[in-house]
Amino acid sequence: MREAAGPTVGIVANPLAGKDVRRLTSGATPVSDAVKIGAIRRAVVGAFEGGAERVLISGDRARLGDRALVGLHRSGPVEVTEPHGWHTGRDSQLAAARFCELGVGAVIALGGDGTQRDVAKGWRNVPLVPLAVGTNNVFPQQLEATVVGFAAGAVASGLGAAAEVTSQAKIIDITLESSGDSDVALVDVCLVRGAFVGARAVWESASVSEIVAAIAEPASVGLSAIAAAVAPLGRYEAGGVHVRLGCASRNAQRSRHIRAAVMPGSYSDIDIEHCEHVGFDQPVTLRGPGVLTLDGEREIVLGRGEPAEVTVRPNGPQVIDVSAAVAAAQRRRYRFVPAVADG
């Protein structure tokens, strides 16, 4: 594929988003391919309206991009990239990395927290509109795809100057001291009891022993909602929150009992033993045995006593403020239109 010619918007659509086991164990409705295809179609229309001259859509085994383009009138060239064939989050990671190499000006990622994390793994400071179509949607936004596409097109074309309409998100770096391997998360890292990854999604809060959250907003659903109940922290506030869960029967004097929405349609009883604010670049050591979940999905098995260093940093994706980008583009596009007189 040639380097992007002219202002280009990239679209990453995860066919697996919104279909994990949490949808089966809660009151949430699975997100169908038809919903994602419709969002892609509307985002393409909006991207060209916002000033993009080209749109790239990540290919996947479900052929969401190809299906979205059937019968769609386009104002410019749209290309679906070759799928990488993993049929996992690695596809989104590799698509984002390729978009970076091609000089794409803005990326729309359709999915939940896990999809946004995969995109950030491929392109750490990606200019991003995270569009929520997953199960846990703490990091992405619930927005209409038409205006999301417009905002991305405006940033790619310069009508909405990136410096004016983006904010840099936090990111959590995870380093395994024994091997030197590393990974990232955008919302939270949790230590879960057990020794197997199994079903990657976590839906049972009783298995969680520690949480490090970069976002702990009270209106969230997911494991970060536990941290938000005792130490709320906004997505653009400095640092993170470290929470240790306890057992009320063992630590009656130290534990604090709460209830939190750990997945859609479900509240859980939780005992908090300790919580504290941690600053940027202040590492927290989580120690096995257990499994580390990154943004709600089991990823890394820790042996007994094996440490992992978890650090919240300020240099994550450049998140596009959709309203600000649309407003900036309209100001520049219509600056010669006379103001409408009152009365």
Side-chain angles (χ1 to χ4, degrees):
M1 185 185 300
R2 68 187 186 280
E3 186 174 339
T8 303
V9 168
I11 299 176
V12 175
N14 179 4
L16 302 177
K19 297 180 179 179
D20 64 49
V21 69
R22 288 167 294 189
R23 291 276 166 175
L24 302 177
T25 57
S26 73
T29 303
V31 181
S32 68
D33 285 356
V35 169
K36 297 169 189 173
I37 289 167
I40 294 170
R41 289 172 64 90
R42 300 194 303 276
V44 169
V45 171
F48 285 119
E49 192 69 27
E53 296 177 6
R54 184 185 183 206
V55 174
L56 302 178
I57 305 173
S58 61
D60 63 82
R61 197 165 74 182
R63 301 182 64 250
L64 295 179
D66 295 301
R67 292 156 68 188
L69 296 180
V70 174
L72 180 66
H73 174 73
R74 287 103 79 180
S75 302
V78 183
E79 184 177 348
V80 179
T81 65
E82 284 293 321
H84 295 283
W86 290 85
H87 203 51
T88 66
R90 184 159 173 76
D91 291 312
S92 299
Q93 177 185 344
L94 294 173
R98 186 63 176 139
F99 286 166
C100 180
E101 293 172 0
L102 293 171
V104 167
V107 173
I108 302 166
L110 285 76
D113 294 332
T115 301
Q116 312 305 327
R117 167 180 166 260
D118 291 327
V119 169
K121 286 180 68 174
W123 185 356
R124 187 180 178 102
N125 64 340
V126 55
L128 178 67
V129 186
L131 182 58
V133 294
T135 300
N136 274 17
N137 296 300
V138 175
F139 190 84
Q141 307 161 43
Q142 298 278 1
L143 294 167
E144 166 49 42
T146 310
V147 293
V148 163
F150 186 102
V155 169
S157 67
L159 278 174
E164 300 173 8
V165 302
T166 62
S167 298
Q168 191 154 32
K170 293 180 277 190
I171 196 167
I172 308 173
D173 283 314
I174 303 98
T175 304
L176 301 184
E177 297 180 13
S178 56
S179 64
D181 292 341
S182 62
D183 213 320
V184 301
L186 293 174
V187 179
D188 53 46
V189 176
C190 303
L191 180 63
V192 177
R193 286 179 286 275
F196 302 99
V197 172
R200 296 179 67 224
V202 175
W203 68 93
E204 178 50 71
S205 62
S207 64
V208 179
S209 58
E210 290 188 72
I211 302 170
V212 177
I215 302 173
E217 294 177 334
S220 297
V221 173
L223 296 177
S224 69
I226 298 172
V230 291
L233 183 73
R235 65 189 58 219
Y236 296 118
E237 292 185 80
V241 178
H242 176 212
V243 177
R244 187 179 303 115
L245 282 65
C247 176
S249 61
R250 292 198 312 263
N251 305 292
Q253 299 300 316
R254 298 170 57 191
S255 291
R256 179 179 177 185
H257 180 77
I258 67 164
R259 285 176 62 79
V262 296
M263 66 177 179
S266 176
Y267 277 79
S268 298
D269 293 296
I270 297 150
D271 293 302
I272 305 297
E273 182 177 306
H274 170 82
C275 68
E276 64 177 339
H277 180 269
V278 293
F280 283 139
D281 302 317
Q282 178 184 340
V284 174
T285 299
L286 302 182
R287 198 174 298 274
V291 180
L292 291 182
T293 74
L294 312 183
D295 295 337
E297 297 181 345
R298 293 178 174 90
E299 294 285 352
I300 302 169
V301 177
L302 296 180
R304 182 171 298 278
E306 183 179 3
E309 190 174 270
V310 179
T311 309
V312 180
R313 293 198 165 95
N315 58 339
Q318 297 282 350
V319 178
I320 297 169
D321 183 322
V322 170
S323 293
V326 172
Q330 289 172 335
R331 283 196 302 270
R332 288 180 171 88
R333 184 171 282 170
Y334 305 130
R335 63 186 181 274
F336 297 119
V337 178
V340 178
D342 294 333

